Amino acid sequence: MIRTLAVLLAAALVVSPAHGARNSQRRVQAFAKLPDWSGMWETASSKVITNPAGTGGPGFAKANQLWGNSNPPFKPELEAQYRAGVHDAAAAAAFANSFKGCGEGAVQLEKTFPFVMDSPMVFEVTVTPEQTLLTFDHGEIRYIYTDGRSHPQQDDLWPTPMGDSVGRWHGDTLVIDTIARTAGPFVLDSSIGLSEQAHFIERMRMIDHNTLEDQLTIEDPQRLATPWKLTFRFTRATDLDRMIPYDCEADRNPIVNGKMIIRPPEAPAQPAGAH
Amino acid sequence: MARGRLLTAGLAACALAAAGAVRAHHSGAMFDTQKLVTLTGTVRLFQWANPHCWIQLYAPALDGKMVEWSVEMGSTTELYRSGWRPHTLQAGQKISVVVHPARDGSPGAAFVSATGEDGAALGKVLKTVAQ
């Protein structure tokens, strides 16, 4: 019995193609043809807020193209609704006092594409022959498959916040095609959402050693009169040596009666003046 | 997501810009970024956490009464990039913190900078990752 098991185990090890497998010469050659985008990159808005110690400064809103005064080319029947929204100052002020990116009551835009490309975050790029991964410091991941596949068939596809992305390398430019993004808001200054028919095309390339550029075109015949073209530029983050897991478990900024407050820490406080 | 919340976000950009201190996690509208106040006191707790790190500091309120301040900082990644570490502050440590105070007068504030008793800026000298 034992001899039989030993023989079966040995046979399994011999025939298992994955055991001890190395990258094929073909895959190694495919790697060698790819541009090296490895490292940490930060969005324009991240660059503003990270100086110093997370305190922001003037210019933050200007760094974001999807945050305010975004002016998407809405269809005429939606344009008036958009304009009415952006001119409601009182409502805007109330919103500014209640906006948060995660935690209870949070606007979830930060976890959706394309907003994630314009949020104040750092992301790491991993380029392989089969896929390119954009891993954001708040936990979001974009999977961009570059193995020649098409989008899934209709029956196998459903909307997700990041959508379904496939890419093709055109020289050193990654052309990304994204569909099936969950219908809903895509800019911070309007509740008018994209439809599930929205189609996104990106051309991502390295401008220089410290700059990645992403030219994004959004098409949505149900919402937009014309394709909307945006360009994001990302800067290499040279002061970060690893991705640090992020969560919202210690969120101390609940929204109470429409207003953000500061909640005391859970640890019991000693009487003031105890020290 | 509350539809009304986004619908009312029309001038959010203007409000956000006016707020000045805007964080990765939320706007800084609750803080008066036109004011800079220096709090000198004793650390009760340094909370190294996300979405924000916090300094709980015993220091005089604006009226002089001793209170516990909640000083809001950036995320762990943002602080790490700025040279801070989980043990940069210890309970009982005397520090001075420059903050933007909360608009409502409560002992809450947004962090701007900090120095130790010796007057040296807190946080390590930033290192540069070789590329």
Side-chain angles (χ1 to χ4, degrees):
Chain A
M1 180 65 181
I2 293 176
R3 178 178 294 175
T4 302
L5 285 174
V7 169
L8 288 173
L9 178 61
L13 291 173
V14 169
V15 300
S16 173
H19 183 75
R22 297 291 185 271
N23 285 295
S24 67
Q25 194 61 29
R26 183 178 180 181
R27 188 163 192 258
V28 171
Q29 291 172 350
F31 256 117
K33 292 178 182 174
L34 296 172
D36 180 6
W37 294 353
S38 60
M40 311 289 178
W41 301 87
E42 62 180 324
T43 62
S45 50
S46 170
K47 197 171 178 61
V48 173
I49 68 157
T50 311
N51 181 23
T55 297
F60 177 77
K62 291 179 184 176
N64 297 70
Q65 299 171 73
L66 302 178
W67 282 57
N69 301 315
S70 57
N71 293 308
F74 282 119
K75 298 181 77 170
E77 60 268 32
L78 297 172
E79 181 69 12
Q81 181 183 338
Y82 173 72
R83 292 292 159 205
V86 298
H87 286 100
D88 188 342
F95 174 81
N97 196 30
S98 63
F99 169 72
K100 54 193 293 189
C102 64
E104 183 182 345
V107 175
Q108 294 297 325
L109 263 177
E110 278 197 343
K111 298 183 180 300
T112 67
F113 173 77
F115 199 82
V116 71
M117 306 302 291
D118 202 25
S119 285
M121 285 191 267
V122 176
F123 61 94
E124 184 171 31
V125 181
T126 306
V127 177
T128 74
E130 298 83 12
Q131 64 178 327
T132 292
L133 297 173
L134 306 184
T135 307
F136 294 83
D137 73 72
H138 287 194
E140 296 78 18
I141 300 176
R142 288 192 66 195
Y143 303 95
I144 303 160
Y145 292 102
T146 55
D147 54 2
R149 74 177 68 186
S150 301
H151 291 295
Q153 297 296 313
Q154 192 169 359
D155 283 352
D156 299 331
L157 188 64
W158 55 89
T160 61
M162 291 293 181
D164 185 81
S165 297
V166 294
R168 299 278 191 282
W169 287 100
H170 292 192
D172 285 344
T173 298
L174 179 59
V175 180
I176 308 165
D177 189 290
T178 301
I179 61 173
R181 184 260 196 194
T182 306
F186 62 115
V187 292
L188 194 58
D189 60 351
S190 178
S191 65
I192 303 172
L194 291 172
S195 75
E196 287 184 6
Q197 305 308 311
H199 179 208
F200 309 84
I201 301 167
E202 295 166 272
R203 295 181 63 84
M204 188 174 284
R205 64 189 178 119
M206 183 179 278
I207 300 295
D208 56 48
H209 181 68
N210 292 313
T211 312
L212 272 181
E213 181 184 85
D214 185 14
Q215 297 177 352
L216 168 66
T217 301
I218 306 175
E219 301 171 342
D220 187 349
Q222 294 188 19
R223 298 288 188 273
L224 304 179
T226 60
W228 192 26
K229 296 180 183 294
L230 301 156
T231 298
F232 304 119
R233 286 200 170 178
F234 312 112
T235 306
R236 187 183 294 279
T238 57
D239 54 5
L240 191 61
D241 55 5
R242 69 183 190 276
M243 293 296 281
I244 302 170
Y246 178 96
D247 59 60
C248 251
E249 292 181 2
D251 180 20
R252 289 177 51 189
N253 296 114
I255 309 294
V256 177
N257 298 323
K259 184 181 178 184
M260 187 179 298
I261 66 168
I262 295 173
R263 184 165 53 203
E266 293 186 0
Q270 298 175 29
H275 293 272
Chain B
M1 178 188 312
R3 180 176 177 80
R5 179 170 292 154
L6 273 181
L7 186 61
T8 59
L11 290 180
C14 298
L16 290 169
V22 183
R23 312 306 185 80
H25 175 236
H26 63 79
S27 101
M30 76 168 88
F31 303 112
D32 186 349
T33 55
Q34 301 304 307
K35 281 186 184 173
L36 282 175
V37 175
T38 299
L39 306 174
T40 298
T42 304
V43 175
R44 182 182 75 79
L45 173 72
F46 180 39
Q47 187 180 15
W48 185 263
N50 287 310
H52 295 280
C53 299
W54 295 83
I55 301 172
Q56 297 301 126
L57 184 74
Y58 291 123
L62 301 182
D63 63 3
K65 182 183 176 184
M66 188 66 77
V67 297
E68 179 177 336
W69 287 83
S70 293
V71 180
E72 183 173 324
M73 307 175 82
S75 70
T76 56
T77 295
E78 290 162 0
L79 261 70
Y80 181 78
R81 295 182 66 191
S82 300
W84 286 71
R85 297 294 182 270
H87 301 294
T88 297
L89 294 181
Q90 305 289 336
Q93 190 171 345
K94 310 285 187 186
I95 62 171
S96 291
V97 187
V98 178
V99 301
H100 296 306
R103 292 182 188 277
D104 63 5
S106 63
F111 177 87
V112 176
S113 64
T115 54
E117 269 190 299
D118 60 359
L122 291 168
K124 295 179 182 176
V125 175
L126 298 181
K127 62 180 178 181
T128 298
V129 178
Q131 298 291 336

